[in-house]
Each structure stands twice: as structure tokens, then as C-alpha cells.
Amino acid sequence: MTIATPPSQTPEANLSLQPTGWLKYFSFSLDHKVIGLQYIVCGFLFYLIGGALAGVIRTELATPISDFVSRDTYNQVLTLHGTVMIFLWIVPVINGGFGNYLIPFYVGARDMAFPRLNAVAFWMIPPSGLLLISSYFIGGAAQSGWTAYPPLSITTPAMGQILWIVSVLLLGGSSIFGGINFIATILKFRQPGLKLMQMPMYCWAMLGTSILVVLATPVLAGTLILLSMDIVAHTGFFNPASGGNVVVYQHLFWFYSHPAVYIMVLPAFGLVSEILPIHARKPLFGYVTMVYSIMAIVVLGLVVWAHHMFTSGTPPWMRLFFTIATAFIAVPTGIKFFNWIATLWQGRLALNSAMLFSCAFILQFVFGGITGVALAQVPFDVHVHDTYFVVGHFHYIVYGGTVFVIFASIYHWFPKFTGRMLDEKLGRLHLALTFIGFNLCFAPQHWLGLNGMPRRVAEYDPQFTLINQISSVGALLMAISTLPFLFNVVISMVRGTPSGPNPWRALTPEWLTSSPPPVENWKGAAPLVHEPYGYGGPPGVMDLNQASGRDLWRNEP
Amino acid sequence: MRIPSAILTLVVGMALVLLGQWVANDVNLLPESASVNAPVYDELFRVLVAIGTMLLVGITGVVIYSLVRFRRQDGDSQDGPAIEGNLSLELFWTAIPAVVVLFLGIYSYDIYDRMGGMADLNGHGMAHQTELASVRHSEPDDENRIWGGIAPAKSSGDVIPVEVTALQFAFIFHYPEQNITSGELHVPTGQTVELRMKANDVIHAFWVPEFRIKQDIIPGQPTVLSFTARKAGDYPIVCAELCGPYHGGMRSHVVVDEPDAFSNWLEANTPATLS
């Protein structure tokens, strides 16, 4: 065990090293629960900034001419919006935030494998985020999109681009530290007696994600270092004027950035797999196939990057290979969705905010997945590549998918974080506003893309005005939807109904302790949970036609 | 007496198929189709829409049905049945999507081939040298190597070559045979046009939504894009790759004329030569 205190030591001697009370959330705390919440709150602040940037974009697009911000500023805003939302909100929160909070519980450990590395990984995020945002005030932020394709990124003002590179490198480093930590914790800090195939699904999701992080992020780091040398030292890696090759950058960039999509959605899959069984009062359907499909997504996710480049100069055979590989990701992903629906089927569903946000996630991710399979087909992609169709598609994946799951998870684990329940009425209002606003904002964008509106433009053909205004209204609703959520969190922290240790009657180990949990996670020995999803009615209630009990899946009695 | 669930499922399935077909065939989501490629593309699009609609509506229906039908009553603290899996069911829903995506992949490969996307752009071997009008007379060396794009599926002798230069923030079209330089593209109906594209500064992309074609124009890597216009009219040319502050304003037109009108345009715009 990592930082287990010998019983002879006085508590004061131990606590003097770490601040207590609210101050610990601003400290270099080594407690995985504190770090997890630091990630979540810090990420949420950046989400508000990224959301404000999205507001600027949607305001500009309410009219077909460029009239709200200058064209340079618009490109800076869209670059910052993408970078902030991906690297400072979704990746840190869904990996670092929930991963840190939950993984030690799930493997039965007192803390992560490397608590100091863990704190370092978190504390790299606020400075790099501030660096990124401050670049806007120091001579202008990067203007080349979050993809930073050369030669545009080489020819736009160097200061902003270099600051962008430095901050993404730091965030990537933080992500790698976190990934190593998760792999070590899951593989080496499991309680004796807890087998791999008995871990809660989120552990598998984080294991797969961390493998992707550790394999793919260094490629991005190397690429960005080469790009910065092209900018600062005038080397010619990607600069065609010096004999460089711009398409090589795209290959290297997407070698990280496609797996980055799975770095964002696999943990979301894991969290949904934790939430649904508890609120449906049923075991997770098809545990074994869920595990294999996560691993299949990890492997396939590494060999599909060139589908972002079907209109670049890629040879035909490559297009064919990447079409098939990409489309095949739909198979393991589909398995997971069918399994979740089967988990709901015949359950006793509590229609609370956590459950409803999860179901909204299922619907929206299915839509994003369908357009994803369509985009994998080269001829289809050739028409809609780099258009608002793609913008709609990936917002369905990363917002409709991941962000909805982040909210579901906050409703689900808030009682554990604070010992108080979130208000259900405000939660459902939040859900309704987000769901309507989100679909109003992003569904019409598919039509825009099909009919000729490219992405990343400040001005567009006036025939698209109405649809863009509808989309902007949706964005406004999404902005408003944050208010009931924030109000709910603040008011519930102070006045919420006390939840007790286990308000959901859940079986996973984080609920088998007080809320909020003590520093060492459990008073006394950690519980050994062999069946994290062992819900199910007494045999008399069971439908005998569904003759496929757990005996089929486990050899031991 | 209850209607057997198998029959209900069958009816729902048939309704889904009909709905998918209806959305695919009768709801128009695409702009006008003005090139020979476009109907081929639309064929694939309809298949994708039909499958997608069935899946989306089906899954949405099942989720909403579950939420309503299996919702927990107040005060009910019982668990659902302890079903942990069903191997044959899981094999079934692994196999079906696998077959569907494999079919889609092969089908879209065929579509792409018909659009000319699989053509060998640099003609390894002399037999293919005539495929590209503009490299007809030279071996592809580093200077002339074509890096990507869509070439005519069959080599037809009557190809109009046009050189396209993209720069921040405009397209310039040059007709080498007549030595015409123009800011908008003029093409005739029914004749293959081959755009040989170069970028001067950053990456741009040439996109005509009504033709359903797009190709990045990459500095240092010439690309080619062929199409045959089908319907006379005036269509937008859009730059689809972020290329700087005025990216949104980087637009032009392609004017598709009947062959006669096109010859007139060529004649009227051919610069006088000293001879």
C-alpha cells in the first residue's frame, strides 16, 4: 500500500504535510480524490472559457458577413475553442478527473501508484492553459486551427503558434504522466484476489485509453517540436519552400489526433458502463465482449488516422485500407451500444439525471457513429470533408458523447464527492436545455455541410443564413443550460439532501465507504468486490426464458 | 389475446425499412447534382441514409421504449433480472454490423472507382501514359509527379486541361491550349475537364458542392481533379481548407455552358497572338 499510515503515528504529524479543509484543493495534494476534483473543477472553468469562445463563433455566424470580430480574431477564436475544449476540458476531466477519483477505488488501492507524478500531471494543466489563453493577449493566439497544418501554421504570426505548441506539449506531457500512472495502478495496484476480469468496466476503459495515450501522444510531441523548429529555426521538415512535405505533418498529427478521439470517448464508455447497471438495477450485459470491444477499439483506433486525409495527396490503396479499417470500428462500438441497451432492457430504470444524460449520450453517439461510418467511405467524405457536416459529426461524438457523459457522471458521483445529492428538478431542467440546445445547434450543421458550407469560415453564402441562425439559437440554449447546473452544484453543496454513503445502493467499491471518503479511502480493510455488477432480483422474479445466468460467463461457482 | 412479439417485431422492422427507404429517396438533403459523378455519389448517399435512418430510428425507439416501459415506480427497490449476457445474441449483433460495414466498404470502393478515384495517377508503365492529358508528353519525374486526386476513369481523348493556381485568397484558372487566364472557371457540358492544381502559399481545397468533388491543393505537391459537367448553370467554387483570415471569402464560380456557348466564350477570350 502506498501511503498507509502506521497506526502508531499521530494524525497531526501526518496531516501537517498536507493542508486540510478547502485549502487542500489549491495545494500540491497527493490524495487521488483531491487531484481528481482538482481536474474536474479546473476543467470545468476551462469549459466555460471554451464555451464563451464558441459563443463568439456562433454570434459571428448569425450573419453571413464577417461583422462581429475581425477575421484574424475569428481564426484565433476557433483555434482556441478547439484546443481548450479538447486539451483542457474533455481529456483532463474524463481521464484525469474521473480516472483519478475512481480507479484507486475500483482496484482496491489507497491511492494511485505514483501520487507525486499524479500531482505534477495535474499542476501542469493550469499554467499551460493560462499560457495558451494569454497568447491571445500577447500579440495574438495561433490562427491555424487546432490542427495547425503547415504551411499555414508556419506563415501565421509565430508568437501565438509557438505558445500554442508549448502549451499543447505541456498538456501532452501531463496526459502521458497520467497514462503511465493509470496503467501502473490498474495492473500493479489491484488488491490481491481481484482478477482482471472482475474489475469494473471503467478500469478496462482507462487501461485502453492509457495505452493509446502512451503510444500516440509522443508522436504528437515529436511532430510539434519539428513544427516549432520550422517556425523558429527555419528548418524544412514541413515547409515546401525548403523541400519539406506538408502531408507528412498531417500523417503524424492524425496518428495522435485520431486516437485522441478514443482517448476522449473510451473513458466515457467506461463511465456509462458504471452508471447504467446501477440505475437499471441489472448486471452490465456482456462484460466479456465489452472488454474485448474496448481492446479492439484501441487496436483499430491506431490504424485509421488517414481517414482525416482523404482529400490530401494519399495514394488510392491507402484510402481503401483506411476506409475498411475505419468502418470496422463500428463493429466493437456497436457491440457496446447494443450491450448497454440490453442492460436497460427489463431493468427497473430510475429516470434520474444521471440515467437520462446517459441515455441522451447513447442516442447522440449513435447518430455521430452513423455519420462517422458514412464519413469513412471515401467518396462520401470527398464531398463533405472540411465542411459543417464534419463539424456536426464530431460535436455529436465529443459533446453529445463525452460531455453528456461528464454531466451524467457528475450527477452520479456528486453524492460521493460531497456527501450531498444534487437537486433532481434542476438536473432535469439542465438535461432538457442541453439536449434541445445541443441538437438544435449541431443537427442542422449536417445539412449545411452537405449543401456547401465549409468549416472554419467567418462569412458564408447568404442562402445558409436561416439554418445558421437556428444553430446559433441552439448554442445560446446550451450556454443557458449551464446556469441551472452551476446553481445546482453551488446550492446542493451547501443545502443538498445528505446522501449517506451509498444513495444508489451500488455495489462498486467507491460506494462502500463514507461520502466523502476518508483520505485512505476506506476505514479498515478495502472491500474485495468480485462482482461489481451483481445486481439482480431473487430467482423467483427472474424470467425463466432468459436462461443465461452468470454461470455461463464464469467458470467458478 | 396478446399479439405474439415476433409478429410485432416483424411489423416494426418492416416499418423501419420503409421509413429508411422513404427518407433516402424522397427527402432531398443534397444540392443540385450537376456533374456526371454526382448521381453516382447520390446513389451511395441514399444507401447510407437508408441504413442510417433505420439504425437511428430503431435504436432511439428501443431506448425510449425501455425508458417508458421499464421505468421504476416510486418506492420500488427491487432489482431487475440478473441477466449477464447472451452469447448467441452478442454474436448476432457482432456479425450483422460486420457484414454491413464490409458491404458498405466494398460498395463505396466500387463507387469511388466509378468516380475515377482509384485511377493510377502517374501511369507506371507506358500503357497508361495517355491517361492524363497534361502529362501526355513527359515521363512523370519529381517535377510532374501527381500526388493525389481524381483522374478520369477511362482515357478519353477529348479532355480539356485547365491549370489551377490557388493562392491566398483566390483561384486562378489558366487554359493552356488557348492561353486564357480567368478568375472563374468555364467548362462545357458533357466533356471531361482535367484540373491540374498547384498552390502557391498554403493548403487550399477546391470544392464544387454541386459536382460532389473536392481535392486539397497542396503546395509542393501537384494534384489533379477531373470531372464532367452535366447540367448548364453557375455553381460556386469554395475553398474548403483553412487558409488564413479571408478563407471564408475565397470563393469563385464555375460556369457550365452548352458546348456551343463554351466555344464562343473560348473564342471571345482567346488573346490575340502575333503570327
Side-chain angles (χ1 to χ4, degrees), chain A residues 519-542:
Chain A
V519 176
E520 301 286 307
N521 291 350
W522 297 275
K523 295 242 191 305
L528 182 59
V529 177
H530 282 301
E531 290 195 10
Y533 306 112
Y535 309 100
V541 180
M542 210 195 301

PDB file of all heavy atoms in Angstrom, chain A residues 519-542:
ATOM      1  N   VAL A 519      -9.328   9.961   3.777  1.00  0.00           N
ATOM      2  CA  VAL A 519      -8.110  10.076   2.977  1.00  0.00           C
ATOM      3  C   VAL A 519      -7.629   8.713   2.476  1.00  0.00           C
ATOM      4  O   VAL A 519      -7.202   8.562   1.334  1.00  0.00           O
ATOM      5  CB  VAL A 519      -7.000  10.768   3.797  1.00  0.00           C
ATOM      6  CG1 VAL A 519      -5.701  10.800   3.025  1.00  0.00           C
ATOM      7  CG2 VAL A 519      -7.437  12.179   4.147  1.00  0.00           C
ATOM      8  N   GLU A 520      -7.746   7.706   3.348  1.00  0.00           N
ATOM      9  CA  GLU A 520      -7.262   6.379   2.959  1.00  0.00           C
ATOM     10  C   GLU A 520      -8.350   5.561   2.260  1.00  0.00           C
ATOM     11  O   GLU A 520      -8.223   4.345   2.138  1.00  0.00           O
ATOM     12  CB  GLU A 520      -6.769   5.630   4.201  1.00  0.00           C
ATOM     13  CG  GLU A 520      -5.648   6.348   4.919  1.00  0.00           C
ATOM     14  CD  GLU A 520      -4.335   6.232   4.172  1.00  0.00           C
ATOM     15  OE1 GLU A 520      -3.942   5.117   3.860  1.00  0.00           O
ATOM     16  OE2 GLU A 520      -3.727   7.285   3.886  1.00  0.00           O
ATOM     17  N   ASN A 521      -9.375   6.203   1.807  1.00  0.00           N
ATOM     18  CA  ASN A 521     -10.470   5.601   1.031  1.00  0.00           C
ATOM     19  C   ASN A 521     -11.433   4.755   1.848  1.00  0.00           C
ATOM     20  O   ASN A 521     -12.640   4.885   1.699  1.00  0.00           O
ATOM     21  CB  ASN A 521      -9.970   4.786  -0.155  1.00  0.00           C
ATOM     22  CG  ASN A 521      -9.368   5.670  -1.223  1.00  0.00           C
ATOM     23  OD1 ASN A 521      -9.487   6.894  -1.148  1.00  0.00           O
ATOM     24  ND2 ASN A 521      -8.731   5.082  -2.198  1.00  0.00           N
ATOM     25  N   TRP A 522     -10.923   3.829   2.653  1.00  0.00           N
ATOM     26  CA  TRP A 522     -11.823   3.046   3.499  1.00  0.00           C
ATOM     27  C   TRP A 522     -11.247   3.034   4.902  1.00  0.00           C
ATOM     28  O   TRP A 522     -10.027   2.952   5.084  1.00  0.00           O
ATOM     29  CB  TRP A 522     -11.924   1.586   3.017  1.00  0.00           C
ATOM     30  CG  TRP A 522     -12.492   1.430   1.659  1.00  0.00           C
ATOM     31  CD1 TRP A 522     -13.800   1.370   1.321  1.00  0.00           C
ATOM     32  CD2 TRP A 522     -11.752   1.301   0.443  1.00  0.00           C
ATOM     33  NE1 TRP A 522     -13.936   1.209  -0.024  1.00  0.00           N
ATOM     34  CE2 TRP A 522     -12.691   1.158  -0.599  1.00  0.00           C
ATOM     35  CE3 TRP A 522     -10.405   1.270   0.130  1.00  0.00           C
ATOM     36  CZ2 TRP A 522     -12.330   1.005  -1.918  1.00  0.00           C
ATOM     37  CZ3 TRP A 522     -10.032   1.115  -1.190  1.00  0.00           C
ATOM     38  CH2 TRP A 522     -10.985   0.990  -2.203  1.00  0.00           C
ATOM     39  N   LYS A 523     -12.114   3.122   5.895  1.00  0.00           N
ATOM     40  CA  LYS A 523     -11.659   2.848   7.253  1.00  0.00           C
ATOM     41  C   LYS A 523     -11.543   1.335   7.357  1.00  0.00           C
ATOM     42  O   LYS A 523     -12.489   0.618   7.058  1.00  0.00           O
ATOM     43  CB  LYS A 523     -12.687   3.367   8.265  1.00  0.00           C
ATOM     44  CG  LYS A 523     -12.852   4.876   8.258  1.00  0.00           C
ATOM     45  CD  LYS A 523     -12.461   5.452   9.600  1.00  0.00           C
ATOM     46  CE  LYS A 523     -12.834   6.915   9.781  1.00  0.00           C
ATOM     47  NZ  LYS A 523     -12.341   7.830   8.760  1.00  0.00           N
ATOM     48  N   GLY A 524     -10.367   0.847   7.720  1.00  0.00           N
ATOM     49  CA  GLY A 524     -10.176  -0.590   7.763  1.00  0.00           C
ATOM     50  C   GLY A 524      -9.835  -1.131   6.397  1.00  0.00           C
ATOM     51  O   GLY A 524      -9.413  -0.395   5.501  1.00  0.00           O
ATOM     52  N   ALA A 525     -10.040  -2.438   6.240  1.00  0.00           N
ATOM     53  CA  ALA A 525      -9.603  -3.107   5.016  1.00  0.00           C
ATOM     54  C   ALA A 525     -10.456  -2.666   3.831  1.00  0.00           C
ATOM     55  O   ALA A 525     -11.637  -2.353   3.982  1.00  0.00           O
ATOM     56  CB  ALA A 525      -9.703  -4.615   5.195  1.00  0.00           C
ATOM     57  N   ALA A 526      -9.838  -2.650   2.656  1.00  0.00           N
ATOM     58  CA  ALA A 526     -10.580  -2.340   1.441  1.00  0.00           C
ATOM     59  C   ALA A 526     -11.493  -3.503   1.094  1.00  0.00           C
ATOM     60  O   ALA A 526     -11.097  -4.658   1.229  1.00  0.00           O
ATOM     61  CB  ALA A 526      -9.615  -2.090   0.296  1.00  0.00           C
ATOM     62  N   PRO A 527     -12.727  -3.232   0.684  1.00  0.00           N
ATOM     63  CA  PRO A 527     -13.611  -4.344   0.324  1.00  0.00           C
ATOM     64  C   PRO A 527     -13.147  -4.996  -0.976  1.00  0.00           C
ATOM     65  O   PRO A 527     -12.657  -4.313  -1.883  1.00  0.00           O
ATOM     66  CB  PRO A 527     -14.968  -3.664   0.133  1.00  0.00           C
ATOM     67  CG  PRO A 527     -14.651  -2.257  -0.189  1.00  0.00           C
ATOM     68  CD  PRO A 527     -13.360  -1.920   0.488  1.00  0.00           C
ATOM     69  N   LEU A 528     -13.255  -6.284  -1.048  1.00  0.00           N
ATOM     70  CA  LEU A 528     -12.884  -7.027  -2.257  1.00  0.00           C
ATOM     71  C   LEU A 528     -14.162  -7.340  -3.009  1.00  0.00           C
ATOM     72  O   LEU A 528     -14.967  -8.150  -2.566  1.00  0.00           O
ATOM     73  CB  LEU A 528     -12.145  -8.309  -1.873  1.00  0.00           C
ATOM     74  CG  LEU A 528     -11.647  -9.182  -3.009  1.00  0.00           C
ATOM     75  CD1 LEU A 528     -10.689  -8.408  -3.893  1.00  0.00           C
ATOM     76  CD2 LEU A 528     -10.942 -10.407  -2.448  1.00  0.00           C
ATOM     77  N   VAL A 529     -14.389  -6.653  -4.127  1.00  0.00           N
ATOM     78  CA  VAL A 529     -15.644  -6.819  -4.867  1.00  0.00           C
ATOM     79  C   VAL A 529     -15.373  -7.690  -6.088  1.00  0.00           C
ATOM     80  O   VAL A 529     -14.711  -7.269  -7.032  1.00  0.00           O
ATOM     81  CB  VAL A 529     -16.218  -5.455  -5.292  1.00  0.00           C
ATOM     82  CG1 VAL A 529     -17.474  -5.650  -6.117  1.00  0.00           C
ATOM     83  CG2 VAL A 529     -16.515  -4.613  -4.077  1.00  0.00           C
ATOM     84  N   HIS A 530     -15.862  -8.905  -6.058  1.00  0.00           N
ATOM     85  CA  HIS A 530     -15.663  -9.807  -7.192  1.00  0.00           C
ATOM     86  C   HIS A 530     -16.699  -9.578  -8.276  1.00  0.00           C
ATOM     87  O   HIS A 530     -16.480  -9.873  -9.432  1.00  0.00           O
ATOM     88  CB  HIS A 530     -15.730 -11.268  -6.734  1.00  0.00           C
ATOM     89  CG  HIS A 530     -14.490 -11.715  -6.067  1.00  0.00           C
ATOM     90  ND1 HIS A 530     -13.271 -11.698  -6.690  1.00  0.00           N
ATOM     91  CD2 HIS A 530     -14.267 -12.177  -4.815  1.00  0.00           C
ATOM     92  CE1 HIS A 530     -12.349 -12.134  -5.856  1.00  0.00           C
ATOM     93  NE2 HIS A 530     -12.917 -12.428  -4.716  1.00  0.00           N
ATOM     94  N   GLU A 531     -17.881  -9.120  -7.867  1.00  0.00           N
ATOM     95  CA  GLU A 531     -18.948  -8.922  -8.846  1.00  0.00           C
ATOM     96  C   GLU A 531     -19.453  -7.499  -8.763  1.00  0.00           C
ATOM     97  O   GLU A 531     -20.446  -7.214  -8.104  1.00  0.00           O
ATOM     98  CB  GLU A 531     -20.090  -9.908  -8.581  1.00  0.00           C
ATOM     99  CG  GLU A 531     -19.697 -11.321  -8.910  1.00  0.00           C
ATOM    100  CD  GLU A 531     -20.903 -12.230  -8.996  1.00  0.00           C
ATOM    101  OE1 GLU A 531     -22.037 -11.705  -8.984  1.00  0.00           O
ATOM    102  OE2 GLU A 531     -20.710 -13.442  -9.074  1.00  0.00           O
ATOM    103  N   PRO A 532     -18.750  -6.582  -9.460  1.00  0.00           N
ATOM    104  CA  PRO A 532     -19.148  -5.177  -9.347  1.00  0.00           C
ATOM    105  C   PRO A 532     -20.545  -4.923  -9.901  1.00  0.00           C
ATOM    106  O   PRO A 532     -21.130  -3.888  -9.612  1.00  0.00           O
ATOM    107  CB  PRO A 532     -18.081  -4.454 -10.167  1.00  0.00           C
ATOM    108  CG  PRO A 532     -17.508  -5.480 -11.073  1.00  0.00           C
ATOM    109  CD  PRO A 532     -17.613  -6.767 -10.347  1.00  0.00           C
ATOM    110  N   TYR A 533     -21.055  -5.832 -10.723  1.00  0.00           N
ATOM    111  CA  TYR A 533     -22.382  -5.620 -11.316  1.00  0.00           C
ATOM    112  C   TYR A 533     -23.358  -6.695 -10.871  1.00  0.00           C
ATOM    113  O   TYR A 533     -24.241  -7.083 -11.621  1.00  0.00           O
ATOM    114  CB  TYR A 533     -22.289  -5.602 -12.838  1.00  0.00           C
ATOM    115  CG  TYR A 533     -21.276  -4.604 -13.334  1.00  0.00           C
ATOM    116  CD1 TYR A 533     -20.094  -5.029 -13.951  1.00  0.00           C
ATOM    117  CD2 TYR A 533     -21.485  -3.247 -13.176  1.00  0.00           C
ATOM    118  CE1 TYR A 533     -19.154  -4.118 -14.389  1.00  0.00           C
ATOM    119  CE2 TYR A 533     -20.557  -2.339 -13.605  1.00  0.00           C
ATOM    120  CZ  TYR A 533     -19.392  -2.773 -14.206  1.00  0.00           C
ATOM    121  OH  TYR A 533     -18.461  -1.862 -14.629  1.00  0.00           O
ATOM    122  N   GLY A 534     -23.170  -7.202  -9.657  1.00  0.00           N
ATOM    123  CA  GLY A 534     -24.000  -8.330  -9.219  1.00  0.00           C
ATOM    124  C   GLY A 534     -25.405  -7.937  -8.802  1.00  0.00           C
ATOM    125  O   GLY A 534     -25.883  -8.374  -7.759  1.00  0.00           O
ATOM    126  N   TYR A 535     -26.058  -7.091  -9.605  1.00  0.00           N
ATOM    127  CA  TYR A 535     -27.452  -6.767  -9.308  1.00  0.00           C
ATOM    128  C   TYR A 535     -28.323  -7.878  -9.853  1.00  0.00           C
ATOM    129  O   TYR A 535     -27.922  -8.671 -10.678  1.00  0.00           O
ATOM    130  CB  TYR A 535     -27.854  -5.427  -9.938  1.00  0.00           C
ATOM    131  CG  TYR A 535     -26.894  -4.327  -9.611  1.00  0.00           C
ATOM    132  CD1 TYR A 535     -25.924  -3.937 -10.525  1.00  0.00           C
ATOM    133  CD2 TYR A 535     -26.937  -3.717  -8.365  1.00  0.00           C
ATOM    134  CE1 TYR A 535     -25.012  -2.941 -10.205  1.00  0.00           C
ATOM    135  CE2 TYR A 535     -26.029  -2.721  -8.042  1.00  0.00           C
ATOM    136  CZ  TYR A 535     -25.068  -2.347  -8.969  1.00  0.00           C
ATOM    137  OH  TYR A 535     -24.171  -1.383  -8.656  1.00  0.00           O
ATOM    138  N   GLY A 536     -29.542  -7.874  -9.433  1.00  0.00           N
ATOM    139  CA  GLY A 536     -30.448  -8.881  -9.981  1.00  0.00           C
ATOM    140  C   GLY A 536     -31.415  -9.327  -8.913  1.00  0.00           C
ATOM    141  O   GLY A 536     -31.057  -9.429  -7.737  1.00  0.00           O
ATOM    142  N   GLY A 537     -32.636  -9.527  -9.364  1.00  0.00           N
ATOM    143  CA  GLY A 537     -33.683  -9.875  -8.435  1.00  0.00           C
ATOM    144  C   GLY A 537     -33.522 -11.296  -7.929  1.00  0.00           C
ATOM    145  O   GLY A 537     -32.721 -12.066  -8.434  1.00  0.00           O
ATOM    146  N   PRO A 538     -34.312 -11.631  -6.926  1.00  0.00           N
ATOM    147  CA  PRO A 538     -34.317 -13.013  -6.441  1.00  0.00           C
ATOM    148  C   PRO A 538     -34.789 -13.946  -7.545  1.00  0.00           C
ATOM    149  O   PRO A 538     -35.533 -13.529  -8.440  1.00  0.00           O
ATOM    150  CB  PRO A 538     -35.303 -12.976  -5.278  1.00  0.00           C
ATOM    151  CG  PRO A 538     -36.121 -11.747  -5.484  1.00  0.00           C
ATOM    152  CD  PRO A 538     -35.246 -10.771  -6.190  1.00  0.00           C
ATOM    153  N   PRO A 539     -34.358 -15.202  -7.517  1.00  0.00           N
ATOM    154  CA  PRO A 539     -34.614 -16.120  -8.636  1.00  0.00           C
ATOM    155  C   PRO A 539     -36.082 -16.193  -9.029  1.00  0.00           C
ATOM    156  O   PRO A 539     -36.392 -16.354 -10.197  1.00  0.00           O
ATOM    157  CB  PRO A 539     -34.132 -17.466  -8.096  1.00  0.00           C
ATOM    158  CG  PRO A 539     -33.172 -17.125  -7.021  1.00  0.00           C
ATOM    159  CD  PRO A 539     -33.570 -15.809  -6.458  1.00  0.00           C
ATOM    160  N   GLY A 540     -36.998 -16.067  -8.074  1.00  0.00           N
ATOM    161  CA  GLY A 540     -38.412 -16.192  -8.402  1.00  0.00           C
ATOM    162  C   GLY A 540     -38.891 -15.126  -9.377  1.00  0.00           C
ATOM    163  O   GLY A 540     -39.787 -15.354 -10.185  1.00  0.00           O
ATOM    164  N   VAL A 541     -38.240 -13.951  -9.320  1.00  0.00           N
ATOM    165  CA  VAL A 541     -38.678 -12.845 -10.167  1.00  0.00           C
ATOM    166  C   VAL A 541     -38.153 -13.005 -11.590  1.00  0.00           C
ATOM    167  O   VAL A 541     -38.688 -12.460 -12.538  1.00  0.00           O
ATOM    168  CB  VAL A 541     -38.191 -11.513  -9.547  1.00  0.00           C
ATOM    169  CG1 VAL A 541     -38.612 -10.322 -10.388  1.00  0.00           C
ATOM    170  CG2 VAL A 541     -38.711 -11.385  -8.126  1.00  0.00           C
ATOM    171  N   MET A 542     -37.090 -13.785 -11.687  1.00  0.00           N
ATOM    172  CA  MET A 542     -36.416 -13.862 -12.984  1.00  0.00           C
ATOM    173  C   MET A 542     -37.291 -14.543 -14.036  1.00  0.00           C
ATOM    174  O   MET A 542     -38.002 -15.492 -13.754  1.00  0.00           O
ATOM    175  CB  MET A 542     -35.123 -14.652 -12.834  1.00  0.00           C
ATOM    176  CG  MET A 542     -34.048 -14.225 -13.809  1.00  0.00           C
ATOM    177  SD  MET A 542     -32.726 -15.415 -13.913  1.00  0.00           S
ATOM    178  CE  MET A 542     -32.155 -15.470 -12.234  1.00  0.00           C
TER     179      MET A 542
END
